[in-house]
Amino acid sequence: MKSIIITGGAGFIGSHVVRLFVNKYPEYRIINVDKLTYAGNLANLKDIEDKPNYCFVKADICDFDAIYALMQEEHVDGVIHLAAESHVDRSIKDPFTFARTNVMGTLSMLQAAKLYWESLPEKYEGKRFYHISTDEVYGALRLDHPEELFTETTKYQPHSPYSASKASSDHFVRAFHDTYGMPTIVTNCSNNYGPYQFPEKLIPLFINNIRHRKPLPVYGKGENVRDWLFVEDHARAIDLIFHKGKVAETYNIGGFNEWKNIDIIKVVINTVDRLLGRKEGEDLDLITFVTDRAGHDLRYAIDSRKLKTELGWEPSLQFEEGIERTVRWYLENQEWMDNITSGEYEKYYESMYANR
Ligand code: NAD
Ligand code: DAU
């Protein structure tokens, strides 16, 4: 039996990882550790919350004592660490929170795992600390050089407070391997999309705005490029790498699926319109060009050939199918969306866009 802590399991990607592990590995004990910030939502896990191999613990990853005690109580052999502040725009307004959670929180997780595992007779044997990171640590690629991709050896060059905090956390994880021999793995993934994503991020925000015929704030000229991966494919990669990945390695995860923001926005508009029985393209006039994000990275694109060659992972979904499933899910789960977009979040959203 394996006892695994998944941090940030009430968030977007974490909830898909928890669901996959709970359903696929009934012999494991899956402990979802989440502080339930604005981004954490236990409604994301309703379908598995009563499973006997699942439990939820409300805790802050920065609370070293609580995490260390939990590791001892639960005899934890594995950590899959996703908990983080994840939204670039918020990091521009409030960098301290990002440093606290993403840097100090990761350090607290590492130190708790180190002290617990080093206290055991078998030490690090059979243990694993898997840190989920982002392609944003590599900085930005050039638009006019499509052959350039982020590889596992691309130099770190983060630009936003978010990516700087994630880069710092990646360095701490690798330092724990190099200094103490902790069996760590780091993966850097591209933009995820799919069900249960908090509607501050481009795709769910725009789906909801189109439904309600609200303006769609496109930053700058909409020329920036992102590499989009369906979230369940990311969760499958995490499962594979957690079990088969080589200790101390880094794997890049991406969809080989680059889109200019303005083009993906048009696909989303057409899909929402069609599924709502509106005339396709009817809502294109909701597009509103607004002041660009400060330090906005031009292009991200991941080379995930290492993961394919070494472990046989590939994205399973074509983008057309993924976006259709995603839009359909948000339209069919309006209550999930309304529970988030009413109340405090609505106020935050309005203040965020007031000055743009
Ligand atoms: P999210 O914002 O949807 O979820 C983050 C979760 O972490 C929430 O449930 C929140 O409550 C929890 N959390 C935040 N601070 C915490 C704390 N101090 N203690 C305990 N829990 C805390 O994020 P996401 O988009 O699911 O991203 C998950 C991870 O994947 C992050 O580490 C992010 O950097 C990384 N990542 C995200 C993407 C993406 O496209 N979303 C791509 C690559 C990597
Ligand atoms: O690349 C991986 C990263 O992808 C993750 O590490 C982050 O956690 C995740 O949030 C995401 O970061 P982005 O900044 O790329 O995602 P976001 O959805 O915020 O924005 C996608 C693109 O759309 C980006 O170029 C900014 C633009 N955008 C975004 C919003 C919210 C707009 O034009 N308008 C908007 O309102």
Side-chain angles (χ1 to χ4, degrees):
M1 159 139 175
K2 273 203 163 77
S3 175
I4 300 169
I5 285 184
I6 299 181
T7 69
F12 166 47
I13 302 171
S15 64
H16 288 275
V17 177
V18 166
R19 176 175 298 101
L20 176 69
F21 273 68
V22 166
N23 287 330
K24 187 168 171 187
Y25 302 107
E27 71 280 21
Y28 290 3
R29 180 159 168 78
I30 303 301
I31 307 140
N32 173 11
V33 174
D34 200 296
K35 183 183 174 185
L36 298 182
T37 66
Y38 79 92
N41 185 354
L42 289 177
N44 297 357
L45 291 164
K46 272 225 152 325
D47 53 323
I48 56 108
E49 67 187 3
D50 295 327
K51 296 268 176 151
N53 62 337
Y54 169 74
C55 81
F56 171 68
V57 176
K58 185 172 186 312
D60 186 336
I61 55 165
C62 300
D63 185 347
F64 169 83
D65 292 337
I67 300 293
Y68 181 54
L70 186 65
M71 294 216 174
Q72 289 176 308
E73 268 161 42
E74 294 284 357
H75 307 286
V76 167
D77 341 87
V79 175
I80 304 179
H81 177 42
L82 295 109
E85 288 293 336
S86 68
H87 192 41
V88 176
D89 292 327
R90 285 181 189 254
S91 81
I92 294 167
K93 294 213 157 186
D94 176 19
F96 274 106
T97 303
F98 282 69
R100 180 186 178 274
T101 294
N102 299 357
V103 185
M104 295 309 288
T106 300
L107 181 54
S108 153
M109 291 299 305
L110 285 163
Q111 184 69 358
K114 170 183 180 289
L115 289 188
Y116 172 56
W117 289 338
E118 286 188 351
S119 74
L120 301 173
E122 75 273 20
K123 310 267 182 228
Y124 289 121
E125 185 71 44
K127 307 293 184 285
R128 185 149 290 197
F129 191 107
Y130 178 3
H131 176 62
I132 309 299
S133 192
T134 171
D135 59 359
E136 300 202 10
V137 297
Y138 298 124
L141 296 165
R142 292 176 291 182
L143 280 183
D144 53 352
H145 284 262
E147 76 290 354
E148 288 179 353
L149 301 172
F150 295 137
T151 71
E152 287 79 2
T153 54
T154 301
K155 188 171 89 173
Y156 271 35
Q157 226 171 354
H159 297 131
S160 73
Y162 163 68
S163 52
S165 69
K166 290 296 289 186
S168 171
S169 66
D170 295 6
H171 291 318
F172 270 107
V173 174
R174 295 190 181 106
F176 268 62
H177 170 267
D178 296 350
T179 309
Y180 309 112
M182 183 182 282
T184 60
I185 293 189
V186 177
T187 56
N188 297 84
C189 187
S190 63
N191 283 62
N192 286 215
Y193 71 99
Y196 299 111
Q197 187 169 30
F198 194 85
E200 63 189 349
K201 308 282 165 58
L202 182 79
I203 290 185
L205 173 69
F206 278 31
I207 293 172
N208 196 43
N209 281 13
I210 298 162
R211 183 186 181 117
H212 296 291
R213 293 214 155 101
K214 285 192 194 165
L216 307 175
V218 180
Y219 299 165
K221 295 186 180 138
E223 295 280 304
N224 305 64
V225 169
R226 296 292 182 265
D227 176 358
W228 294 92
L229 178 68
F230 191 64
V231 62
E232 289 177 14
D233 275 332
H234 188 188
R236 266 197 316 111
I238 290 173
D239 173 22
L240 183 66
I241 294 163
F242 180 73
H243 289 97
K244 302 266 167 59
K246 277 202 215 118
V247 163
E249 288 289 329
T250 296
Y251 299 90
N252 279 357
I253 310 173
F256 288 109
N257 181 38
E258 290 180 55
W259 285 83
K260 227 183 236 185
N261 288 344
I262 194 67
D263 294 335
I264 207 171
I265 288 164
K266 287 179 183 162
V267 171
V268 172
I269 295 174
N270 286 334
T271 312
V272 176
D273 281 346
R274 178 166 46 76
L275 292 179
L276 285 178
R278 298 177 187 169
K279 194 164 145 260
E280 257 186 52
E282 181 178 332
D283 288 312
L284 283 168
D285 60 359
L286 294 175
I287 291 176
T288 310
F289 293 97
V290 298
T291 312
D292 208 352
R293 173 185 277 174
H296 197 175
D297 286 333
L298 260 186
R299 172 174 166 251
Y300 303 143
I302 279 275
D303 181 346
S304 56
R305 276 177 301 175
K306 175 176 172 181
L307 185 54
K308 180 169 183 210
T309 316
E310 291 188 11
L311 300 180
W313 177 91
E314 278 184 292
S316 71
L317 268 193
Q318 290 298 315
F319 181 71
E320 290 67 25
E321 191 188 342
I323 201 73
E324 176 92 12
R325 270 176 65 178
T326 302
V327 172
R328 206 178 275 284
W329 187 88
Y330 285 100
L331 296 180
E332 286 170 1
N333 289 274
Q334 192 59 35
E335 198 184 332
W336 178 91
M337 181 67 88
D338 290 344
N339 284 339
I340 294 171
T341 54
S342 58
E344 281 310 301
Y345 173 67
E346 185 66 8
K347 280 186 229 146
Y348 165 81
Y349 178 72
E350 272 161 18
S351 74
M352 194 83 174
Y353 290 98
N355 314 327
R356 283 187 181 273

